[in-house]
Amino acid sequence: MTPQTDESPLVDDIAARIRARIMNGELAIGKPLRQAALATEFGVSRTPVREALRQLQNGGLIEMQPNRGAVVRVPAPWEVRQAYEVRAELEGMAARRAASRITESGLAALREHNAVLCEAVVRAAGQRTGGGSATEGGSTTTTAANDCFHTVICEAADNPWLTRMIDRINESFPRNVSSLALAGDERHRQLNIRQHEAVIEALAAHDADRADALMREHVISSGEHLTAWYERRSQTVFHG
């Protein structure tokens, strides 16, 4: 076996571990990724780390900057907007297909995931009333609930090609960022919940046209909100 073949699984594993930390927000946007530190952490030489970082660079999650090396990439706002325009069409198609295929258990799952988001808003309101800090909007629980809501619809659509295309767009941006963007905006968090409820109603009524339109509207709205968040953060990200 060639060295490249021997190292490929290791490179893929390191890339996957770094990717997971970027996606869950452990490695913040703009944060430098030091090859030496990563090599020590993973107990490997710099070579597979360097190859893993190159793999992530090709995937758009990191970029190489002069005098800084690899950093977690900050997407340009226009990239986010364009990606969400495509995602809106794809998820609209998924909702259209799901309208004639979703089961009662699928609808129940959607309601449960949206209930988690609703409970988070209530808890955050209680924290503000009590003088505490409202952090529920950016929690791993709400991030997972929101992701699972969309996953249930994609699964009901029963089109693996469609699901893979949606996943590819989602994997282009850290998954915790959408939840962080919602954390500081109660109005949009409540809108997110209401839009989910409307999609559920359309799916329950097996109204494909309405499910499609509502899902596209929801994703576009989320994309605009996320674009604005990136615009605000693009000049204030980690520069250490």
Side-chain angles (χ1 to χ4, degrees):
M1 299 175 74
T2 65
Q4 181 178 4
T5 302
D6 289 339
E7 289 187 358
S8 290
L10 177 60
V11 170
D12 291 344
D13 178 64
I14 293 172
R17 292 164 70 179
I18 297 173
R19 182 184 296 108
R21 294 169 65 183
I22 293 173
M23 296 302 280
N24 67 22
E26 183 180 344
L27 296 173
I29 56 174
K31 183 176 180 60
L33 301 174
R34 309 298 185 193
Q35 289 186 25
L38 290 170
T40 300
E41 178 181 346
F42 295 137
V44 299
S45 69
R46 293 193 187 191
T47 299
V49 170
R50 183 169 58 251
E51 293 303 314
L53 292 176
R54 183 176 293 124
Q55 185 180 119
L56 294 173
Q57 181 183 13
N58 292 337
L61 277 181
I62 71 171
E63 63 181 342
M64 304 302 295
Q65 294 184 352
N67 304 318
R68 296 188 71 205
V71 299
V72 180
R73 184 170 177 271
V74 183
W78 62 264
E79 291 181 89
V80 179
R81 180 175 287 111
Q82 289 184 351
Y84 270 70
E85 286 176 354
V86 177
R87 180 184 162 191
E89 295 301 316
L90 295 174
E91 292 216 34
M93 183 188 301
R96 172 177 291 277
R97 289 178 57 86
S100 62
R101 294 171 173 81
I102 196 163
T103 63
E104 287 302 319
S105 62
L107 290 169
L110 290 177
R111 294 186 180 102
E112 289 173 6
H113 295 316
N114 207 38
V116 171
L117 300 176
C118 188
E119 289 167 5
V121 170
V122 173
R123 283 195 296 270
Q127 289 175 346
R128 284 191 297 274
T129 300
S133 175
T135 59
E136 286 290 343
S139 74
T140 56
T141 300
T142 54
T143 298
N146 192 71
D147 285 351
C148 287
F149 180 91
H150 289 268
T151 297
V152 168
I153 295 174
C154 285
E155 290 176 347
D158 193 26
N159 186 323
W161 285 88
L162 181 58
T163 299
R164 284 196 294 270
M165 293 176 73
I166 293 171
D167 286 345
R168 183 172 180 180
I169 292 175
N170 288 336
E171 290 169 1
S172 298
F173 309 103
R175 296 305 301 139
N176 72 313
V177 171
S178 295
S179 192
L180 286 172
L182 287 172
D185 191 333
E186 182 179 0
R187 182 195 65 79
H188 196 81
R189 291 171 66 190
Q190 292 177 346
L191 174 62
N192 187 60
I193 293 169
R194 291 197 302 271
Q195 288 176 334
H196 281 186
E197 290 173 347
V199 169
I200 294 172
E201 290 175 2
L203 292 173
H206 306 295
D207 188 335
D209 288 342
R210 183 163 175 75
D212 184 342
L214 287 169
M215 181 57 81
R216 283 190 283 109
E217 179 184 358
H218 169 56
V219 175
I220 288 293
S221 173
S222 298
E224 288 301 318
H225 188 72
L226 187 58
T227 296
W229 188 89
Y230 271 113
E231 287 174 339
R232 292 193 299 271
R233 293 300 180 96
S234 61
Q235 300 302 318
T236 60
V237 295
F238 185 94
H239 288 296

CSV table of all heavy atoms in Angstrom, one decimal, residues 83-121:
chain,number,residue,atom,x,y,z
A,83,ALA,N,-27.0,30.7,-1.0
A,83,ALA,CA,-27.1,29.3,-0.6
A,83,ALA,C,-28.6,29.1,-0.1
A,83,ALA,O,-29.2,28.0,-0.4
A,83,ALA,CB,-26.1,29.0,0.5
A,84,TYR,N,-29.1,30.0,0.6
A,84,TYR,CA,-30.5,29.8,1.1
A,84,TYR,C,-31.5,30.0,0.1
A,84,TYR,O,-32.6,29.4,0.2
A,84,TYR,CB,-30.7,30.8,2.3
A,84,TYR,CG,-30.3,30.2,3.6
A,84,TYR,CD1,-29.0,30.0,4.0
A,84,TYR,CD2,-31.3,29.8,4.6
A,84,TYR,CE1,-28.6,29.4,5.2
A,84,TYR,CE2,-30.9,29.2,5.8
A,84,TYR,CZ,-29.6,29.0,6.1
A,84,TYR,OH,-29.2,28.4,7.3
A,85,GLU,N,-31.2,30.7,-1.0
A,85,GLU,CA,-32.2,30.7,-2.1
A,85,GLU,C,-32.3,29.3,-2.7
A,85,GLU,O,-33.4,28.9,-3.1
A,85,GLU,CB,-31.7,31.7,-3.2
A,85,GLU,CG,-31.9,33.2,-2.8
A,85,GLU,CD,-31.3,34.1,-3.8
A,85,GLU,OE1,-30.6,33.6,-4.8
A,85,GLU,OE2,-31.4,35.4,-3.7
A,86,VAL,N,-31.2,28.7,-2.9
A,86,VAL,CA,-31.2,27.3,-3.4
A,86,VAL,C,-31.8,26.3,-2.4
A,86,VAL,O,-32.7,25.5,-2.8
A,86,VAL,CB,-29.8,26.8,-3.8
A,86,VAL,CG1,-29.8,25.4,-4.3
A,86,VAL,CG2,-29.1,27.7,-4.8
A,87,ARG,N,-31.5,26.5,-1.2
A,87,ARG,CA,-32.0,25.6,-0.1
A,87,ARG,C,-33.6,25.8,-0.1
A,87,ARG,O,-34.3,24.8,0.1
A,87,ARG,CB,-31.4,26.0,1.2
A,87,ARG,CG,-32.0,25.1,2.4
A,87,ARG,CD,-31.4,25.5,3.7
A,87,ARG,NE,-32.3,24.9,4.8
A,87,ARG,CZ,-32.2,25.3,6.0
A,87,ARG,NH1,-31.3,26.1,6.5
A,87,ARG,NH2,-33.0,24.7,6.9
A,88,ALA,N,-34.1,27.0,-0.2
A,88,ALA,CA,-35.5,27.2,-0.2
A,88,ALA,C,-36.2,26.4,-1.3
A,88,ALA,O,-37.3,25.9,-1.0
A,88,ALA,CB,-35.8,28.7,-0.3
A,89,GLU,N,-35.7,26.4,-2.5
A,89,GLU,CA,-36.3,25.7,-3.6
A,89,GLU,C,-36.3,24.2,-3.3
A,89,GLU,O,-37.2,23.4,-3.5
A,89,GLU,CB,-35.6,26.0,-4.9
A,89,GLU,CG,-35.7,27.4,-5.4
A,89,GLU,CD,-37.1,27.8,-5.6
A,89,GLU,OE1,-37.9,27.0,-6.1
A,89,GLU,OE2,-37.5,28.9,-5.2
A,90,LEU,N,-35.1,23.7,-2.8
A,90,LEU,CA,-35.0,22.3,-2.5
A,90,LEU,C,-35.9,21.8,-1.3
A,90,LEU,O,-36.6,20.8,-1.4
A,90,LEU,CB,-33.5,21.9,-2.1
A,90,LEU,CG,-32.5,22.1,-3.2
A,90,LEU,CD1,-31.1,21.9,-2.7
A,90,LEU,CD2,-32.8,21.2,-4.4
A,91,GLU,N,-35.9,22.6,-0.3
A,91,GLU,CA,-36.8,22.2,0.9
A,91,GLU,C,-38.3,22.4,0.6
A,91,GLU,O,-39.1,21.8,1.1
A,91,GLU,CB,-36.4,23.0,2.1
A,91,GLU,CG,-35.0,22.6,2.6
A,91,GLU,CD,-34.9,22.7,4.2
A,91,GLU,OE1,-35.9,22.3,4.8
A,91,GLU,OE2,-33.8,23.0,4.6
A,92,GLY,N,-38.6,23.4,-0.3
A,92,GLY,CA,-39.9,23.5,-0.8
A,92,GLY,C,-40.4,22.3,-1.5
A,92,GLY,O,-41.5,21.7,-1.3
A,93,MET,N,-39.5,21.7,-2.4
A,93,MET,CA,-39.7,20.5,-3.1
A,93,MET,C,-39.9,19.3,-2.1
A,93,MET,O,-40.8,18.5,-2.2
A,93,MET,CB,-38.6,20.2,-4.0
A,93,MET,CG,-38.8,18.9,-4.9
A,93,MET,SD,-37.4,18.5,-5.8
A,93,MET,CE,-37.1,20.0,-6.8
A,94,ALA,N,-39.1,19.3,-1.1
A,94,ALA,CA,-39.2,18.3,0.0
A,94,ALA,C,-40.5,18.3,0.7
A,94,ALA,O,-41.2,17.3,0.9
A,94,ALA,CB,-38.1,18.4,1.0
A,95,ALA,N,-41.0,19.5,1.0
A,95,ALA,CA,-42.3,19.7,1.7
A,95,ALA,C,-43.4,19.3,0.7
A,95,ALA,O,-44.4,18.7,1.2
A,95,ALA,CB,-42.4,21.2,2.1
A,96,ARG,N,-43.3,19.6,-0.5
A,96,ARG,CA,-44.3,19.2,-1.5
A,96,ARG,C,-44.5,17.7,-1.6
A,96,ARG,O,-45.6,17.2,-1.6
A,96,ARG,CB,-44.0,19.8,-2.9
A,96,ARG,CG,-44.9,19.3,-4.0
A,96,ARG,CD,-44.5,20.0,-5.3
A,96,ARG,NE,-44.9,21.4,-5.3
A,96,ARG,CZ,-46.1,21.8,-5.6
A,96,ARG,NH1,-47.1,21.0,-5.9
A,96,ARG,NH2,-46.3,23.1,-5.5
A,97,ARG,N,-43.3,17.0,-1.7
A,97,ARG,CA,-43.3,15.6,-1.7
A,97,ARG,C,-43.8,15.0,-0.4
A,97,ARG,O,-44.6,14.0,-0.4
A,97,ARG,CB,-41.9,15.0,-2.0
A,97,ARG,CG,-41.5,15.3,-3.5
A,97,ARG,CD,-40.1,14.7,-3.7
A,97,ARG,NE,-40.0,13.3,-3.4
A,97,ARG,CZ,-40.2,12.3,-4.2
A,97,ARG,NH1,-40.7,12.6,-5.4
A,97,ARG,NH2,-40.1,11.1,-3.9
A,98,ALA,N,-43.4,15.6,0.7
A,98,ALA,CA,-43.8,15.1,2.0
A,98,ALA,C,-45.3,15.2,2.3
A,98,ALA,O,-45.9,14.4,3.0
A,98,ALA,CB,-43.1,15.8,3.1
A,99,ALA,N,-46.0,16.2,1.6
A,99,ALA,CA,-47.4,16.4,1.9
A,99,ALA,C,-48.2,15.2,1.6
A,99,ALA,O,-49.3,14.9,2.2
A,99,ALA,CB,-47.9,17.6,1.0
A,100,SER,N,-47.8,14.4,0.6
A,100,SER,CA,-48.6,13.2,0.2
A,100,SER,C,-48.0,11.9,0.8
A,100,SER,O,-48.6,10.8,0.6
A,100,SER,CB,-48.6,13.0,-1.3
A,100,SER,OG,-47.3,12.9,-1.8
A,101,ARG,N,-46.9,12.0,1.6
A,101,ARG,CA,-46.3,10.8,2.1
A,101,ARG,C,-46.1,10.8,3.6
A,101,ARG,O,-45.9,9.7,4.2
A,101,ARG,CB,-44.9,10.7,1.5
A,101,ARG,CG,-44.9,10.5,0.0
A,101,ARG,CD,-43.4,10.7,-0.6
A,101,ARG,NE,-43.4,10.3,-2.0
A,101,ARG,CZ,-43.7,11.1,-3.0
A,101,ARG,NH1,-44.1,12.3,-2.8
A,101,ARG,NH2,-43.6,10.6,-4.3
A,102,ILE,N,-46.2,11.9,4.3
A,102,ILE,CA,-45.9,12.0,5.7
A,102,ILE,C,-46.9,11.2,6.5
A,102,ILE,O,-48.1,11.2,6.2
A,102,ILE,CB,-45.8,13.4,6.2
A,102,ILE,CG1,-45.1,13.5,7.6
A,102,ILE,CG2,-47.1,14.1,6.3
A,102,ILE,CD1,-44.6,14.8,8.0
A,103,THR,N,-46.5,10.5,7.5
A,103,THR,CA,-47.3,9.7,8.4
A,103,THR,C,-47.8,10.5,9.6
A,103,THR,O,-47.2,11.6,9.9
A,103,THR,CB,-46.6,8.4,8.8
A,103,THR,OG1,-45.5,8.8,9.6
A,103,THR,CG2,-46.2,7.6,7.6
A,104,GLU,N,-48.7,9.9,10.4
A,104,GLU,CA,-49.1,10.6,11.6
A,104,GLU,C,-48.0,10.6,12.6
A,104,GLU,O,-47.8,11.6,13.3
A,104,GLU,CB,-50.3,9.8,12.2
A,104,GLU,CG,-51.6,10.0,11.5
A,104,GLU,CD,-52.0,11.5,11.4
A,104,GLU,OE1,-51.9,12.2,12.4
A,104,GLU,OE2,-52.5,11.9,10.3
A,105,SER,N,-47.1,9.6,12.6
A,105,SER,CA,-46.0,9.6,13.5
A,105,SER,C,-45.0,10.7,13.1
A,105,SER,O,-44.4,11.4,13.9
A,105,SER,CB,-45.3,8.3,13.5
A,105,SER,OG,-44.8,7.9,12.3
A,106,GLY,N,-44.9,10.9,11.8
A,106,GLY,CA,-44.0,12.0,11.3
A,106,GLY,C,-44.5,13.4,11.7
A,106,GLY,O,-43.8,14.2,12.1
A,107,LEU,N,-45.8,13.6,11.6
A,107,LEU,CA,-46.4,14.8,12.0
A,107,LEU,C,-46.3,15.0,13.5
A,107,LEU,O,-46.0,16.1,14.0
A,107,LEU,CB,-47.9,14.8,11.7
A,107,LEU,CG,-48.3,14.9,10.2
A,107,LEU,CD1,-49.7,14.7,9.9
A,107,LEU,CD2,-47.9,16.3,9.6
A,108,ALA,N,-46.4,13.9,14.3
A,108,ALA,CA,-46.2,14.0,15.7
A,108,ALA,C,-44.8,14.4,16.1
A,108,ALA,O,-44.5,15.2,17.0
A,108,ALA,CB,-46.6,12.7,16.4
A,109,ALA,N,-43.8,13.9,15.3
A,109,ALA,CA,-42.4,14.2,15.5
A,109,ALA,C,-42.2,15.7,15.2
A,109,ALA,O,-41.5,16.4,16.0
A,109,ALA,CB,-41.5,13.4,14.6
A,110,LEU,N,-42.8,16.2,14.2
A,110,LEU,CA,-42.6,17.6,13.8
A,110,LEU,C,-43.2,18.5,15.0
A,110,LEU,O,-42.5,19.5,15.4
A,110,LEU,CB,-43.4,18.0,12.6
A,110,LEU,CG,-42.8,17.4,11.3
A,110,LEU,CD1,-43.7,17.7,10.1
A,110,LEU,CD2,-41.4,17.9,11.0
A,111,ARG,N,-44.3,18.1,15.5
A,111,ARG,CA,-44.9,18.9,16.6
A,111,ARG,C,-44.0,18.9,17.9
A,111,ARG,O,-43.9,19.9,18.6
A,111,ARG,CB,-46.3,18.4,16.9
A,111,ARG,CG,-47.3,18.6,15.8
A,111,ARG,CD,-48.7,18.2,16.2
A,111,ARG,NE,-49.7,18.4,15.1
A,111,ARG,CZ,-50.1,17.4,14.3
A,111,ARG,NH1,-49.8,16.2,14.5
A,111,ARG,NH2,-51.0,17.7,13.3
A,112,GLU,N,-43.4,17.7,18.1
A,112,GLU,CA,-42.5,17.6,19.3
A,112,GLU,C,-41.3,18.5,19.1
A,112,GLU,O,-40.9,19.1,20.1
A,112,GLU,CB,-42.1,16.1,19.5
A,112,GLU,CG,-43.3,15.2,19.9
A,112,GLU,CD,-42.9,13.8,19.9
A,112,GLU,OE1,-41.7,13.5,19.7
A,112,GLU,OE2,-43.7,12.9,20.2
A,113,HIS,N,-40.7,18.4,18.0
A,113,HIS,CA,-39.5,19.3,17.7
A,113,HIS,C,-39.8,20.7,17.9
A,113,HIS,O,-39.1,21.5,18.4
A,113,HIS,CB,-38.9,19.0,16.4
A,113,HIS,CG,-38.4,17.6,16.3
A,113,HIS,ND1,-37.6,16.9,17.2
A,113,HIS,CD2,-38.5,16.6,15.2
A,113,HIS,CE1,-37.3,15.7,16.8
A,113,HIS,NE2,-37.8,15.5,15.7
A,114,ASN,N,-41.0,21.1,17.3
A,114,ASN,CA,-41.3,22.6,17.4
A,114,ASN,C,-41.7,22.9,18.8
A,114,ASN,O,-41.5,24.1,19.2
A,114,ASN,CB,-42.5,22.9,16.5
A,114,ASN,CG,-42.5,24.3,16.0
A,114,ASN,OD1,-41.5,24.9,15.7
A,114,ASN,ND2,-43.7,24.9,15.9
A,115,ALA,N,-42.2,22.0,19.6
A,115,ALA,CA,-42.5,22.3,21.0
A,115,ALA,C,-41.3,22.6,21.8
A,115,ALA,O,-41.3,23.4,22.7
A,115,ALA,CB,-43.3,21.1,21.6
A,116,VAL,N,-40.2,21.9,21.5
A,116,VAL,CA,-38.9,22.2,22.1
A,116,VAL,C,-38.5,23.6,21.9
A,116,VAL,O,-38.0,24.3,22.8
A,116,VAL,CB,-37.8,21.2,21.6
A,116,VAL,CG1,-36.4,21.6,22.1
A,116,VAL,CG2,-38.1,19.8,22.0
A,117,LEU,N,-38.7,24.1,20.6
A,117,LEU,CA,-38.3,25.5,20.3
A,117,LEU,C,-39.2,26.4,21.1
A,117,LEU,O,-38.8,27.5,21.6
A,117,LEU,CB,-38.4,25.7,18.8
A,117,LEU,CG,-37.5,24.8,17.9
A,117,LEU,CD1,-37.8,25.1,16.5
A,117,LEU,CD2,-36.0,25.1,18.3
A,118,CYS,N,-40.5,26.1,21.2
A,118,CYS,CA,-41.4,26.9,21.9
A,118,CYS,C,-41.1,27.0,23.4
A,118,CYS,O,-41.1,28.1,24.0
A,118,CYS,CB,-42.9,26.4,21.7
A,118,CYS,SG,-44.2,27.5,22.3
A,119,GLU,N,-40.8,25.9,23.9
A,119,GLU,CA,-40.4,25.9,25.4
A,119,GLU,C,-39.2,26.7,25.6
A,119,GLU,O,-39.1,27.3,26.7
A,119,GLU,CB,-40.2,24.4,25.8
A,119,GLU,CG,-41.5,23.6,25.9
A,119,GLU,CD,-41.2,22.1,26.0
A,119,GLU,OE1,-40.0,21.7,26.1
A,119,GLU,OE2,-42.2,21.3,26.0
A,120,ALA,N,-38.3,26.7,24.7
A,120,ALA,CA,-37.0,27.5,24.8
A,120,ALA,C,-37.3,29.0,24.9
A,120,ALA,O,-36.7,29.7,25.6
A,120,ALA,CB,-36.1,27.2,23.7
A,121,VAL,N,-38.3,29.4,24.1
A,121,VAL,CA,-38.7,30.8,24.1
A,121,VAL,C,-39.3,31.2,25.4
A,121,VAL,O,-39.0,32.2,26.0
A,121,VAL,CB,-39.7,31.1,22.9
A,121,VAL,CG1,-40.3,32.5,23.1
A,121,VAL,CG2,-39.0,31.0,21.6
